[in-house]
Amino acid sequence: MSFNEKVLKEDYATSLATSESIVNSNDGDQQHAHQLKRGLKSRHIAMIALGGTIGTGLFMSSGKAIAAGGPGGAIVGYGIVGILVFCVMMSLGEMATYMPVHGSFGHFAGRFVDPSLGFMVSVLYWCNWAVGVAVELTGVAMIMEFWITSVNSVIWSVICLVILVLINVFAVKGYGEIEYWISFVKILTIVAFIIIGICVDTGALGGVYIGVSNFHLEGGAFPNGFLGVFNVFITAAFSYNGVEMVGISAGETQNPHKTIPSAVKQVFVRIVLFYILSMLIIGLCIPYTDPNLLDGSSNVAVSPFTLVFQMAGAQSAADIMNAIILITMISAGNSGVYSSSRTLMRLAEDGYVPKFFARVNRFGVPIYAVLTSCFVGCLAFLTSLFGSGVVFTWLTRLTSLAGLITWISISITHVRFRQGLAAQGRPVSALPYVAPLFPFADIFVIVIGVIVVLFQGYQEFIAPISAANVIGSYIGLILALVLYIGHKAIRRPAFVKAADMDFETGTLKVSNNDIDADDEDNANKPLWKRWINKVINIIA
């Protein structure tokens, strides 16, 4: 048993009061409603952390990164953003393990920094995922048209929306199970891709030996220099978007003092195994000059994964990848409904939106928050069907910047969190999980994140300049500023002083029996089984 766990047993005196929803009856008496249930197990959280980072951004948009930065530029770009993501996860993991509440980082921002920042982050994150549902609905329709063109594409989007609603109105365990198995399919796909890609590159399948020749084309591994690497950042940020969902699910996690730190520690290894290796395989097998790399983000038939499988002789590669991307989009839509509904519920509990959004049904689901998030996603989807689609393009471009702004806010919040602990004389060693490299990791995230947010749209200022494109590039930043300034002007909240920060409400009370039971379960397993579990946990 670690020192942190011993301190945790002795010092955590308050229960998770904030996870309880309270409603008022007509006669003014308060009645306790149903509350969120901790139905997500450690295997669910591990897969949610993984599934949140593996999606269409990797399967389809990775070719765009290779074309923009070259094979070396793509690897460096994804590597730098991967380190940024790991730093964010360490900071979020420290706070979410100490206070495992749903919708955590928006709540933490308002609690430890500034209520206006908490409002801005929560609303922006809710918009991010509500719009994300619309993006996935559109994507599902596009995927189905690959096979069936005789049916109106809207029908497929409606069917997908119904499936998402049915998954999310029942117990959270259903969401966890679906994410678990879909993430398992993603893992198998990437592992198979890496193995087959190595065989293609080395000529082991009977083809031509490629080796590292694509790294020595005209321009080398970095044909576009620094700008090429920088252009990869925003694509990588979109690909990694969603890894912070572990914080959203903290309030519904069993044994969060164990599962959240475990998920955080494994993120970096998974980034290296899945993202960096995938980019390396694509860069080795496909020249960065191949025009199909640019088309792969919108056409599954020429996505990088499909091209590599076809090079290995898989004639039905497009159909296989189409099926995998289809379930990936359903998974992303499922995550979108879950994340947006829990964020909206937290907004209601913090007093930013009407209280009825915090009401929970008997299955432990915030039903009104789920239905509202689905409805807003449906409205966003409808904008793609009318006019020129400019509004829908703006909405879809919101998702990339919203993720970066969220990561920056998490790091700012973590700095203030530590300052509050120091001001109140609370030892860092008492935390169940301590993020290493403080404050350097947070400074790295803030500096790199701000640079990318401010300059990612530089190409839109090169003549001819289009106002619509400029707005589209910075729509996330514009919305964030409007939300923050608007809330500050109307509510006029003061910044939270370090001495006034609340470190009690919402902390998780862990009994001796809980920790002892965890230790006993692990100790009773044979050594070989413990090692196998460690390997499986790292990979999957």
Side-chain angles (χ1 to χ4, degrees), residues 135-153:
V135 175
E136 303 310 329
L137 293 178
T138 306
V140 166
M142 179 185 73
I143 291 297
M144 291 305 300
E145 285 182 338
F146 181 85
W147 287 311
I148 303 173
T149 58
S150 59
V151 177
N152 191 314
S153 60

Side-chain angles (χ1 to χ4, degrees), residues 445-494:
V445 172
I446 295 169
V447 171
I448 298 298
V450 169
I451 290 174
V452 175
V453 168
L454 292 180
F455 296 102
Q456 50 83 31
Y458 75 92
Q459 292 178 325
E460 305 302 339
F461 292 97
I462 301 175
I465 298 176
S466 169
N469 290 339
V470 171
I471 293 174
S473 293
Y474 290 95
I475 186 68
L477 180 60
I478 294 171
L479 178 59
L481 292 175
V482 169
L483 290 171
Y484 182 84
I485 296 172
H487 186 271
K488 182 67 73 174
I490 296 173
R491 294 287 187 93
R492 299 183 181 278

Side-chain angles (χ1 to χ4, degrees), residues 43-89:
R43 63 185 180 89
H44 296 143
I45 295 300
M47 283 298 190
I48 288 173
L50 178 62
T53 60
I54 297 177
T56 53
L58 176 61
F59 288 138
M60 298 184 70
S61 299
S62 51
K64 182 180 177 182
I66 298 284
I75 293 173
V76 171
Y78 268 80
I80 292 175
V81 178
I83 294 173
L84 183 147
V85 167
F86 184 52
C87 292
V88 170
M89 289 302 295

Side-chain angles (χ1 to χ4, degrees), residues 520-533:
E520 186 177 349
D521 288 342
N522 290 327
N524 289 336
K525 292 179 180 178
L527 181 62
W528 65 269
K529 197 168 187 178
R530 277 179 279 169
W531 276 103
I532 290 177
N533 286 340

